[in-house]
Every structure is written in C-alpha cells, then in structure tokens.
Amino acid sequence: MAAVQETIEQVKSIDVDKYKYGFETEIESEKAPRGLNEDIVRFISEKKGEPAWMLEWRLDAYRRWRALKEPTWAKLHYPKIDFEDLYYYSAPKGTTGPKSLDEVDPQLLETYAKLGIPLKEQEILAGVRKAGEPSPSNAPSEGADGYASMKGKVAIDAVFDSVSVVTTFKKELAKAGVIFCSISEALREHPELVKKYLGTVVPQSDNFYAALNSAVFSDGSFVYVPPGVRCPMELSTYFRINEKDTGQFERTLIIADKGSYVSYLEGCTAPMRDENQLHAAVVELIALDDAEIKYSTVQNWYPGDKDGKGGIFNFVTKRGDCRGKNSKISWTQVETGSAITWKYPSCILRGDNSRGEFYSIAISNGYQQVDSGTKMIHLGRNTTSRIISKGIAAGKSQNTYRGLVSAHRKATGARNFTNCDSLLIGDKCGAHTVPYLEARNSSAQFEHEATTSKISDNMLFYCTQRGLSSEEAIALVVNGFVRDVLQHLPMEFMAETQKLIGISLEGSVG
Amino acid sequence: MLEIKNLHACIADDGTEILRGIDLVIPKGEVHAIMGPNGSGKSTLAYVLAGRDDYEVTEGDILWNGESILEMGPDERAAKGVFLAFQYPMEIPGVATMTFLRAALNAVRKKRGEKELTTPEFLKFVRAKAAELGVSDEMLKRPLNVGFSGGEKKRMEILQMSVLEPTLCVLDETDSGLDIDAIRIVSEGTTKLRGPDRAMLVITHYQRLLNYIVPDKVHVLAKGRIQKTGGKELALELEKSGYADFTGQAA
C-alpha cells in the first residue's frame, strides 16, 4: 500500500473527536428568545444600556439586513441557515459587564484555564489575580521600569458566548493611555470614540453577515492607542462559544492614532456539538498617520466530527483602513478550525505610502471547507501590499484562496506582491486559487505567484528513511511549507501554533 | 551481517517482477559493490532494503543481524541502522538542513532508546562532520537540498549518513551526475565511514567509483538476479567487456 493510500485510509478513520476544546461548561445563562426582529435588537441594546444613537444604528442595520441576501459566490456548500431559529443573545447569568477577575464566576475562569491556550495567558491570568491584591502603589517601581517588566505580558479580553467577562491589565495599559476594554464598556465610557469610528470601515450594509452583526452584536473588544504611543504589551481577545443554538456576533474596533503601534491577537474555540453554530464577527481596524496595527488570529473553532457533522460556520468580515499616510496594517491568520470558513481580512490603503500585509495559514482536514483570502484596495499613492497565503488541504476538505488586489485610478505607484501556495495531503481534498487583479492606474505593479504541491510519497519515504515517523515527517514538511508566515506571528504564539498545526493534521497521515 | 535470501519482489501496483531470487551476504566490516545494466533491479534492491512500500516482497527474506526486517517500516529500519543514500535526494522547502538533521537524529536516537542531544552538543557534532565533507555553515542553514547542485546533494547524503551513524549503508548510484572532484569528496567521506561494525552496499554503473571506494566483493546484477560474484578486479573486467554476457544482448 502506497503511503498516500495509507494517508487516505487514516483520514477516513480520522478521529476529529480528539478536538480538545470540545467540552461544555454548565453555566446558567440568560438568553433572548429565539429569532430576530426589532424587539430583539431593542432588547440587546437595552441589556447593554446603550445610548439612543446606538439603538438607532442597530435598527438601521437590522432593516438593511432584511433587504440583503446571503452571498453565494464562495466555494462553500452547507445547509441553509435558519436565522429565525437562533438565539441572538446569551450571557452568563449575573454578568452585566466586565468585572475584575476576582468577581468572575470561578467556573468561567476554570473554563479558560481548561482551554489552556495560549499557555502564556494562563500565567498572566494568574498574575493578574496577584496584581489585584496589593495596591498598585506598593509595586516596587513605576514608570519606565514598570513598562519594561510588562514586556512579554499579554493583556486579555475574554468573551464568553456574547459577553466580555474579563479584561486584564487595564490599569497598566491606562498608564500608557491605551484603552482596552469590551465594546459595551467603550460605549458607556468612551461613546464619542465609538461613535466616531464604528462602521466607518465596515458599514452596516457592507454585506449580509456584517449587517446582521451590526444589528445584534453583543460584545467584543475595543482598543484605542493614543498618538505616539507604542502599546506596551500584546493585546489579546479570547473568544469562546458555549451556549447551544447561539450565534456569536462579536465586534472588534481598534484605532491606532497618529504614530502609534499596537499588536493584537485573538484566539477562538468552541465546544463539540452535533449542530452547526454560527459565528459572524466584524473587525474594524483604523490606522491614522504613521500608525501601525498588527492583528493576528489563531482560529481553532470546532471543525465538526469525522462525518462532517457539527462545527462552526464562520462568516467573518475583517477589514483595516490605512486611513493616514505612512500607516501600516498587517493581518496574520492561522485558520485550523470551523466547518465553514468565509473570511477575507482586507486592507484599504487610503493614505499615501500606506502598506497592507496579509499572511495566512489555512489548514483544512476532515470535511472542512475554507474560502478565505484578502482584499488589498490601493487608493493612495505609492501604496504597497504583500500577500503570503499557505493553504494546506487534507482529508476530504476543500481549501480556496480568494483574493482581490485593486488599484484605484489615483493610486499611482501602487505595488503588490502575492504568493499563494497550496499543499495537498492525500487525493480526496482540493485546493483552489481565485485571484482577482484590477489595475486602473497604469503605473501599478502587481506580481502574483502561485504553486500547488503535494506531499509526495517520495518526500515521505525520504523522511521516514531517515528515521522520522510518517506523522513527524508530515509535521516537518508542513511547518517548512508555512515558515514564511509563521515568522510573522508574535513570538509567544509561534511555538503553540507549530503544535496546533501538528494537532490539526493528526490522523491525516499513516 | 546482511543476509538476503532468495529475494523476489515486484512493483506493488501492477505485479511486475523485478527481483527474481537474489542471494547475497555482506558480513560486517565489508564493502560490496553491485554493478549491472539499466533495468537490472539495482535501485529496486536498494528501495526494498530500505522498506519502500511501492514494492512488494513475494518470496524470500532480508535479515539484518539475524533479524528479519521485512515487516518493519522505513523508520524502524532506519532505527536498526539501515541507511539509503538516494540517487535523487528530495528537496524539502522551508526546512533548514540543520533542522532536518536534528529531527532525523533525534528520531533515530529516540527509537534506539538513546538520549536526544542538546542544542550545543548537536551543533558541535554536526559542524565537525560537515567540515570533513566541506559542507559550509551557510549550506546547513539553507532548506534541505533546495537549489543544491548535484554534487552538493550527494555530499549532503553522505553528511546525513555520517550524522546518523548507520550500520548498514546502501549507496544508490551516488556517483551519477558527479564530476571527478565531487566523486572524490563523496568517496573519501564514505571511505572514512568504513569500519568493523559497518556493512556497505555500493550500487554503481561504473567502475570509476570503485577506484575510490575499493570493494571487498563485486556482484553483477542482471535480470533480477546476481549473475556473477568476484573480487574488485571483476569491475575492471566489466568495464572492458560490458554486461552483454549477462543480458544476452550485445552492449
């Protein structure tokens, strides 16, 4: 039996139930009734104690959503979603908003501890509790030293079902002037900032899922980095879907004011369930003059079982606006989970000399379907963008890269470099590349490179002859394949990601 | 000691028989050469020894140190000390040569129940071996075999062999595509590995290589069987007369 044949056999018997985040937490929660109408939107807004303009904004989005149709252009096949049969709001009972860690339901904390990723965060969660005990003034040193000691730390906003349950390191961040909180809190504490920027990158009616999100989003993270500030630590949001039949609609808004810098990481997991769960998030990034935002995602939603049953439907709109000159937005994503992924983190290169980057690793196994890529919209002069996409398909999965690079009439000197590589493991999976290139300015320079390769029997035999097991060999080859992208992840998460890649491909080899 | 007994093997996909009853014994400490015309089964024999599953052994046995290795996978055989220097080494993009060497060495050591080397130990160990073969630090940083010349690839095979310290070395046409200088470097590297605990099987078309790696015995393989066995002078004879006597065709 040839090695590839063996791989296929293995994939057939794949045990996706190994998904180690598949547990469920029994926490009483408060839900809105099933289905969606204006009253539900009002209910959510009221629960959050939002200002009147916000309710109007939501209702506007809701009405627009009613007029929109689900997009069908992606290479994805899934049963029709009954949007009237979902819960649009679920909150752990007794949680009205972010609290200090001490007040959080210990079971919730346990859940996050059990999730175990990123390991770094656990230490910090523990550290935060310590920090909460003595008064901050007892800390041995303040100011610059304090910041130095923060290096390598990560501030976290944890979102459970639809509600942000805890945000860590807030005080430390506040010293630098950085606002990092849940978006509900931002609406209460900094309404002027939210009002100024919300929906300016992804308008309410941008697309079907973005409109739905705009109407019903219940929480998410908010970041504001003031002019000239280099955010002293990594910011991170950890998303967890727990409740049954519940859509998760979080909204993230990150603003890097002039000359500032922030690096942000999100992680996602969900319990194993037979039914599909809907996740429709919106992320908006705004970089003003000379500012830089680095946004990394490690997405490990439940991918469904070995027969393709269950799993998260992930319909996400992520977009960054390089609004100011010399600004830079960089997306790095590692996609290993979800039954369906529909996701195109994009950059609008509005400011002159602005730069957009997209680094992606998308791994699909079992029956997973991925349709992901990016859009680089060059509007300003001398704007540059770079796309490195690595798709790895195993099992019976389908993995599509879909990307648009466009240069506006005025985008003189726009440059793009795109590299899309696909790697196939076995012969029951598919990899597809769908690039769209549109240049309306004759000075634009676009380069596109694409390769598709297979982990061949020859390569596997070569590695195993040297003593590696087939599984070690695949992990080695795949990690080599994605190396260009891995090095763009924050250091803390590189090793974990390498491990995650190994786990995601478990059972794909003999 | 390697003992090949009445070995029959065919292509797994279509059942074409390639090896038709090979008998061969290589005691430890000896170097044997196998020569033969194209299509005689030389490379197949090398692959079957290493455990490639594109071939099916239909009859006979392969014993290494008295133990049959037929049921073992390639990685288990590697742990038992079997090493194949490939005729066409594979390129592994994105995996630095050093990383590959380390993964392989640690995998083999783990399977042998030995401790993994620490990073400083490993670096010292590999650099010393690399220096002997004229492999630069820069080459060790490059992805394995990617963009390497033919000579560099073969040198890398010998480096891997010297790092993994196998006890049965099979060299499959290591001289093919090499110029005289490269042949010398590779041969010297191989000759250094000769030792009382090591058996070597050198597969080649040409006598040339055997000027550098002087064999204890030379076997002629044709039509899937060993047709003749002799001393190193047999290689010289073959160089003159060709393989016509064994294939029944004029060369």
Side-chain angles (χ1 to χ4, degrees), chain A residues 1 458 462 464-467, chain B residues 52-53 78 84 111 157 160:
Chain A
M1 191 164 59
N458 284 338
Y462 187 77
T464 52
Q465 204 297 306
R466 297 303 186 243
Chain B
R52 178 149 194 157
D53 58 7
L84 171 62
K111 286 197 180 85
E157 292 295 288
Q160 290 183 45

Side-chain angles (χ1 to χ4, degrees), chain B residues 232-250:
Chain B
K232 62 183 181 214
E233 63 290 341
L234 177 57
L236 290 165
E237 276 173 40
L238 288 168
E239 193 79 357
K240 278 189 211 126
S241 57
Y243 297 113
D245 292 351
F246 308 105
T247 58
Q249 294 158 5

Side-chain angles (χ1 to χ4, degrees), chain A residues 72-344:
Chain A
T72 52
W73 40 261
K75 193 175 165 53
L76 300 169
H77 303 280
Y78 52 94
K80 208 164 163 45
I81 301 166
D82 184 355
F83 290 93
E84 302 305 332
D85 195 38
L86 290 175
Y87 291 109
Y88 287 87
Y89 181 80
S90 163
K93 221 169 198 169
T95 313
T96 48
K99 295 179 169 186
S100 86
L101 209 56
D102 302 346
E103 292 168 50
V104 175
D105 186 339
Q107 231 184 329
L108 255 181
L109 283 181
E110 216 175 279
T111 302
Y112 281 100
K114 228 199 259 184
L115 292 169
I117 53 161
L119 295 166
K120 199 84 193 163
E121 295 186 6
Q122 266 187 22
E123 280 168 33
I124 288 141
L125 276 167
V128 169
R129 226 180 302 185
K130 266 181 252 145
E133 285 159 14
S135 79
S137 57
N138 289 349
S141 62
E142 294 288 318
D145 284 352
Y147 287 149
S149 70
M150 268 183 226
K151 273 194 181 151
K153 290 184 185 175
V154 182
I156 310 157
D157 185 22
V159 177
F160 198 83
D161 283 336
S162 305
V163 173
S164 172
V165 286
V166 62
T167 308
T168 62
F169 278 113
K170 260 161 116 169
K171 272 186 203 144
E172 286 84 344
L173 286 167
K175 262 188 253 166
V178 175
I179 302 168
F180 179 39
C181 61
S182 73
I183 199 146
S184 310
E185 192 183 342
L187 272 162
R188 288 193 300 271
E189 309 289 329
H190 313 280
E192 69 300 337
L193 279 174
V194 179
K195 195 173 181 182
K196 186 173 173 189
Y197 292 107
L198 187 72
T200 61
V201 187
V202 180
Q204 289 136 299
S205 56
D206 186 81
N207 66 66
F208 183 83
Y209 296 103
L212 179 62
N213 174 288
S214 301
V216 302
F217 78 84
S218 30
D219 224 328
S221 297
F222 176 84
V223 177
Y224 173 79
V225 189
V229 170
R230 194 177 167 87
C231 187
M233 61 180 94
E234 295 275 342
L235 303 182
S236 170
T237 297
Y238 196 76
F239 294 104
R240 173 80 179 163
I241 299 179
N242 192 58
E243 206 51 50
K244 256 188 183 166
D245 292 347
T246 304
Q248 179 145 344
F249 308 95
E250 76 274 350
R251 184 126 195 155
T252 299
L253 178 58
I254 299 176
I255 303 132
D257 213 323
K258 291 179 183 176
S260 67
Y261 167 85
V262 61
S263 169
Y264 182 93
L265 184 123
E266 62 168 12
C268 333
T269 60
M272 298 191 295
R273 294 193 184 286
D274 286 346
E275 68 271 26
N276 299 109
Q277 283 176 288
L278 177 65
H279 174 251
V282 171
V283 175
E284 296 179 278
L285 311 182
I286 295 143
L288 301 182
D289 290 358
D290 306 300
E292 178 176 349
I293 302 174
K294 190 170 152 64
Y295 193 104
S296 313
T297 304
V298 177
Q299 186 266 103
N300 189 20
W301 295 121
Y302 177 52
D305 72 2
K306 59 181 190 295
D307 302 315
K309 201 171 177 197
I312 302 292
F313 286 177
N314 195 28
F315 295 93
V316 176
T317 307
K318 293 185 168 182
R319 197 173 302 154
D321 189 358
C322 286
R323 203 162 282 183
K325 63 176 167 55
N326 307 319
S327 56
K328 181 176 167 186
I329 288 178
S330 168
W331 297 100
T332 305
Q333 62 169 21
V334 179
E335 301 281 312
T336 62
S338 294
I340 300 280
T341 303
W342 181 95
K343 181 180 171 190
Y344 317 90

Side-chain angles (χ1 to χ4, degrees), chain A residues 345-384:
Chain A
S346 306
C347 295
I348 299 168
L349 303 167
R350 199 183 303 275
D352 291 347
N353 307 315
S354 60
R355 177 168 175 83
E357 292 174 352
F358 175 74
Y359 302 104
S360 171
I361 297 170
I363 299 177
S364 54
N365 200 350
Y367 281 87
Q368 283 177 271
Q369 301 174 58
V370 179
D371 195 299
S372 183
T374 185
K375 287 188 275 185
M376 292 291 173
I377 316 284
H378 293 256
L379 301 179
R381 278 173 301 178
N382 300 317
T383 46
T384 55

